[in-house]
Amino acid sequence: MFIKINDNELYYEIHGNPEGETIFFIHGAPGLGDCRGDIKAFSPLGDKYRLVFMDMRGSGRSEGKPPFTHEQWAADIEEMRKQLVGGPIKILGGSYGGFLTLEYVLRYPENVTHVLLRDTSADNKFDHLSIDQALKSELPGITEEGIRRLFDGRVESNEELKEMFFALQPLYTVEYDEAAVKERIDSIYYRFETHNYAFRYNKPHFNLVPDLHKISVPTLVTVGRHDWITPVVCSEVIAEHIPKSKLVIFENSGHSPQHEENAAYLKLVRDFLENNS
């Protein structure tokens, strides 16, 4: 379905129990990601909760009017909440979606009851670790020039974005399924302008660590032990600074424990929400 949000047509889906408390899911990878991955991972929670999934401005099937700032994306989430819910929500964000989840909670704290963060970061301090790991992998298709353009937000086309993202795929998971990855890569809605804006203009100034102590609601912080793009230390910093936080590391996962250890991940989410009601 589509809804007009801040002069932009955004794609969204609502799943699950219409009488349940609402969880918003914020996907990562601006210009690469969309809500389909979260729908696949989290739909079983719909037996109890009302689940709202959305493609962010400039990603997936949503319209792409700029700006692609954190302020604008957070405002889009807030307007979506107003139109679809009205009251407070629970919010789960992964990877870059975790950046936006933190931004949202800090900007609209009165509208959130629970925060769930997956494989994310509160600043850009550890980006060099990801770049180093990518270069040391010696995977075919990864060059220093290419990885720098990706991280600097200077990708020149959707084709280049697709090629680089495909080359990096073996780093993302503990077990690499080439056929499944190829199918997923071919299904992505590539929006290189959105990616470039996020990495060229947003990330260089991204640092929410000094404000994390202001988050007062129960917060679950999760990360895969083998995550290369937002390594464990990023989640440790978040958990250290948010007072009511719980950190859980998934030992057999890379960047996506919600898929790689799905049953355990869903159980953790259920237990966390039920025990912190």
Side-chain angles (χ1 to χ4, degrees):
M1 295 182 287
F2 288 89
I3 187 171
K4 195 79 165 182
I5 297 289
N6 296 327
D7 198 34
N8 223 54
E9 291 283 342
L10 298 189
Y11 180 85
Y12 76 102
E13 296 186 21
I14 299 178
H15 293 241
N17 186 345
E19 305 300 322
E21 295 178 343
T22 301
I23 308 175
F24 267 45
F25 295 85
I26 312 302
H27 69 78
L32 282 166
D34 60 59
C35 66
R36 289 174 294 175
D38 283 339
I39 291 172
K40 181 179 179 181
F42 295 109
S43 287
L45 297 176
D47 60 348
K48 180 173 182 180
Y49 299 98
R50 181 174 182 245
L51 313 177
V52 175
F53 304 94
M54 58 191 290
D55 288 358
M56 302 302 292
R57 170 187 300 245
S59 290
R61 292 145 289 189
S62 289
E63 195 176 357
K65 292 179 183 175
F68 306 123
T69 61
H70 288 188
E71 180 180 11
Q72 183 62 65
W73 276 323
D76 289 347
I77 297 169
E78 172 60 4
E79 185 61 24
M80 183 79 81
R81 182 200 66 81
K82 286 180 181 178
Q83 293 198 33
L84 297 183
V85 185
I89 59 171
K90 310 174 194 309
I91 187 167
L92 189 158
S95 196
Y96 202 108
F99 302 177
L100 302 183
T101 295
L102 288 170
E103 293 272 13
Y104 178 79
V105 174
L106 289 167
R107 292 171 187 271
Y108 306 96
E110 68 280 5
N111 297 330
V112 179
T113 64
H114 298 77
V115 179
L116 301 97
L117 301 168
R118 177 195 59 75
D119 297 83
T120 191
S121 182
D123 61 16
N124 60 15
K125 182 178 179 181
F126 301 103
D127 282 2
H128 67 282
L129 297 178
S130 305
I131 294 172
D132 289 347
Q133 186 165 343
L135 294 176
K136 288 177 182 176
S137 71
E138 298 184 346
L139 286 167
I142 296 180
T143 64
E144 182 162 4
E145 179 185 359
I147 200 75
R148 295 287 179 189
R149 281 208 307 275
L150 189 70
F151 272 79
D152 292 344
R154 300 188 183 278
V155 177
E156 296 178 354
S157 67
N158 286 329
E159 290 72 25
E160 181 186 352
L161 185 59
K162 180 178 181 178
E163 288 173 7
M164 281 300 306
F165 194 50
F166 181 57
L168 290 165
Q169 287 306 297
L171 295 175
Y172 277 94
T173 54
V174 172
E175 296 182 8
Y176 181 61
D177 183 338
E178 186 171 359
V181 166
K182 181 68 165 58
E183 181 179 354
R184 176 171 167 264
I185 288 292
D186 288 340
S187 74
I188 289 173
Y189 300 96
Y190 293 93
R191 314 276 289 272
F192 79 99
E193 300 94 340
T194 311
H195 166 87
N196 281 350
Y197 194 102
F199 279 75
R200 188 185 302 184
Y201 299 109
N202 297 342
K203 282 207 73 180
H205 309 290
F206 179 60
N207 182 11
L208 299 180
V209 174
D211 295 319
L212 292 179
H213 70 278
K214 299 175 184 177
I215 298 176
S216 59
V217 296
T219 302
L220 177 63
V221 185
T222 62
V223 63
R225 173 66 71 186
H226 308 284
D227 189 346
W228 80 280
I229 191 72
T230 49
V232 170
V233 63
C234 300
S235 290
E236 290 175 337
V237 169
I238 294 172
E240 179 185 340
H241 286 84
I242 297 179
K244 295 180 181 178
S245 65
K246 175 181 181 178
L247 172 64
V248 177
I249 300 173
F250 283 80
E251 298 294 337
N252 298 309
S253 291
H255 189 57
S256 300
Q258 81 280 14
H259 293 297
E260 295 174 85
E261 299 181 66
N262 181 255
Y265 199 95
L266 291 179
K267 183 179 186 305
L268 175 67
V269 169
R270 288 184 189 277
D271 290 347
F272 172 78
L273 294 177
E274 290 170 5
N275 293 330
N276 292 278
S277 57

